[in-house]
Amino acid sequence: MDKFKDLPDSDGFFGDYGGKFVPETLMYALQELEDTYSKLKDNNEFFANVDKDLKQFVGRPSPLYFAKRLTKYHGGPKIWLKREDLNHTGAHKINNTVGQILLAKAMGKKRIIAETGAGQHGVATAAVAARLGLECHIYMGANDIQRQSLNVYRIKLLGATVHAVKSGAAILKDALNEALRDWVTNIEDTYYIIGSVTGPHPYPMIVRDFNAVVGRELKEQSIELFNKFPDAIIACVGGGSNAMGVFYPFLEEDVKLVGVEAAGSGIKTGKHAAPLNDGKPGVLHGAKSYLMQNDEGQVIDTQSISAGLDYPGVGPEHSHLKDSRRATYIAVDDVEVLKAFHNVTRLEGIMPALESAHAFAALEHLVKDFSKNANLVVNVSGRGDKDINIVATMGGISLD
Ligand SMILES: *Cc1c(COP(=O)(O)O)cnc(C)c1O
């Protein structure tokens, strides 16, 4: 069997998952992207430019921080936070957009499109497009536009056009459909920056590779701060890019990898966004992966307090890591997430995004399996400023 780190194979498969299930018109564009990427992958100058932007524009490396009071609260293993919330624009998404915009430039594309859920990928894409003076269009579900209005305004300030998508449930999966439709229509001059390790090959690989800087930094920082690799790494999973980025450099190491999905109102209610916990393999947005679907194979509506995790699919590499048991996937519900959000904010002075709060909520289930000497790392995928209206209406402290 292939080593985990050597995947995907040349057809874009991670075991049974991935591939390119797209119309003929897109095949050409995907091949063009794959050819460009495989050429630039070994080009030192290209990666020197990526590294320079990660350092000077994004603010990398992000710190590894010891959460002393949170550790005491849980009364078990030491808890460390990988601080992706401190990145420019407030989440891990910028690690990927900084890289992909340089691919777009290398390919001579003049027009950038992207989909977004919570708006973080929209902001991260609009920011890098602004910097290069490229035209930028962001597709966002009309429902998400309402619940993430702060990010919508940020995208507009950055000079991008926001397209409200009203079809379906008017959330992330619908925005992805519209972005793919735009791409098919404008394939000549348009580069599509996908925001997670989802979509057809080569996207899951490219987005993972650009996010893997997080795991590489963590390897160095854990050795420096506690002299060994972490015992476990915990990350929330929507499409799965922040998790894949921090997991990937550890795939061949003796480190427990835990992904945390959104259980929404509870797995048993069916109202959730946890395809790895309660889904079946199927094809969505160009790739085969675990998917939330009914008995007829129709994609079913998802529910989560966090717009960034509110997606019925998941990146194909996670499906492979699940089936092969290299990683474990659990789910936590909205109530647990809100509790974790408040806890971390009060105990550590750090306000996590509601997406990241899923990883914190998982600690409640996980700490009992580890000794006091163990080191657990929570990937803090983003900061919570964008979510304060939701928190306030869901029983937080009143905003008045
Ligand atoms: C977009 C987003 C996520 C979910 O995306 P992944 O691809 O699963 O990482 C998680 N956290 C934050 C802060 C996000 O903005």
Side-chain angles (χ1 to χ4, degrees), residues 39-57:
K39 229 180 288 158
L40 291 177
K41 222 179 145 163
D42 304 315
N43 180 320
N44 289 337
E45 194 188 324
F46 178 79
F47 272 94
N49 281 332
V50 175
D51 286 346
K52 188 171 126 206
D53 284 351
L54 287 175
K55 194 169 169 191
Q56 298 180 354
F57 186 65

Side-chain angles (χ1 to χ4, degrees), residues 91-93 120 195-196 236-243 308-309 353 355-356 381-382:
H92 68 288
K93 297 284 188 343
Q120 286 301 129
S196 190
C236 66
V237 175
S241 65
N242 86 87
L309 302 185
E355 290 84 2
S356 323
S381 55

Side-chain angles (χ1 to χ4, degrees), residues 267-290:
I267 294 288
K268 288 199 190 82
T269 67
K271 293 179 169 28
H272 58 78
L276 292 168
N277 279 276
D278 187 30
K280 285 180 302 216
V283 172
L284 178 69
H285 297 138
K288 186 176 172 200
S289 198
Y290 275 89

Side-chain angles (χ1 to χ4, degrees), residues 52-370:
K52 188 171 126 206
D53 284 351
L54 287 175
K55 194 169 169 191
Q56 298 180 354
F57 186 65
V58 176
R60 303 208 68 88
S62 71
L64 181 62
Y65 162 83
F66 179 55
K68 194 172 166 191
R69 293 188 71 209
L70 190 64
T71 296
K72 194 161 171 227
Y73 171 83
H74 283 293
K78 298 189 186 75
I79 297 165
W80 301 80
L81 314 185
K82 181 62 175 154
R83 301 287 312 277
E84 292 301 292
D85 57 310
L86 292 178
N87 293 340
H88 177 46
T89 68
H92 68 288
K93 297 284 188 343
I94 194 100
N95 301 322
N96 168 46
T97 62
V98 154
Q100 283 205 56
I101 200 90
L102 292 177
L103 287 180
K105 198 176 150 197
M107 292 166 77
K109 304 288 184 188
K110 300 274 178 285
R111 185 174 173 273
I112 302 298
I113 60 170
E115 85 294 340
T116 196
Q120 286 301 129
H121 180 58
V123 170
T125 302
V128 294
R131 221 176 131 228
L132 295 188
L134 296 174
E135 180 186 335
C136 181
H137 297 266
I138 305 294
Y139 289 89
M140 189 165 181
N143 261 329
D144 288 341
I145 284 182
Q146 250 178 2
R147 57 177 169 169
Q148 301 284 344
S149 58
L150 173 68
N151 273 345
V152 177
Y153 190 59
R154 289 169 80 201
I155 295 167
K156 289 180 179 168
L157 286 174
L158 287 161
T161 307
V162 178
H163 300 268
V165 178
K166 301 195 181 79
S167 56
I171 59 174
L172 180 56
K173 80 164 176 359
D174 312 294
L176 235 142
N177 283 335
E178 275 311 304
L180 282 168
R181 218 162 281 156
D182 177 314
W183 200 29
V184 173
T185 316
N186 301 294
I187 205 124
E188 282 302 316
D189 68 340
T190 298
Y191 185 101
Y192 180 14
I193 302 189
I194 289 189
S196 190
V197 287
T198 48
H201 179 66
Y203 280 108
M205 170 181 76
I206 291 177
V207 178
R208 173 199 71 194
D209 288 354
F210 284 134
N211 270 298
V213 63
V214 180
R216 288 197 302 272
E217 284 175 9
L218 178 56
K219 275 191 156 175
E220 284 184 20
Q221 291 168 325
S222 57
I223 296 288
E224 185 188 315
L225 291 171
F226 48 86
N227 260 318
K228 52 183 178 176
F229 289 155
D231 294 275
I233 303 172
I234 303 147
C236 66
V237 175
S241 65
N242 86 87
M244 225 39 253
V246 72
F247 289 176
Y248 182 68
F250 291 96
L251 286 179
E252 315 296 334
E253 311 291 350
D254 183 20
V255 175
K256 190 173 163 70
L257 306 173
V258 184
V260 186
E261 294 193 310
S265 305
I267 294 288
K268 288 199 190 82
T269 67
K271 293 179 169 28
H272 58 78
L276 292 168
N277 279 276
D278 187 30
K280 285 180 302 216
V283 172
L284 178 69
H285 297 138
K288 186 176 172 200
S289 198
Y290 275 89
L291 185 58
M292 288 179 53
Q293 52 190 318
N294 63 20
D295 291 337
E296 282 85 53
Q298 293 295 313
V299 175
I300 50 183
D301 284 344
T302 49
Q303 189 175 306
S304 166
I305 191 173
S306 82
L309 302 185
D310 208 347
Y311 181 65
V314 64
E317 193 164 8
H318 285 294
S319 292
H320 179 57
L321 294 177
K322 172 193 158 71
D323 280 8
S324 54
R325 299 181 188 212
R326 175 62 192 92
T328 310
Y329 296 89
I330 64 173
V332 294
D333 67 29
D334 290 350
V335 175
E336 296 176 272
V337 168
L338 272 174
K339 183 180 163 205
F341 171 92
H342 288 293
N343 245 338
V344 174
T345 302
R346 289 281 170 98
L347 290 172
E348 295 295 339
I350 292 170
M351 213 178 287
L354 285 174
E355 290 84 2
S356 323
H358 285 69
F360 282 110
L363 288 171
E364 207 70 69
H365 303 270
L366 298 170
V367 288
K368 62 177 187 319
D369 299 335
F370 295 89

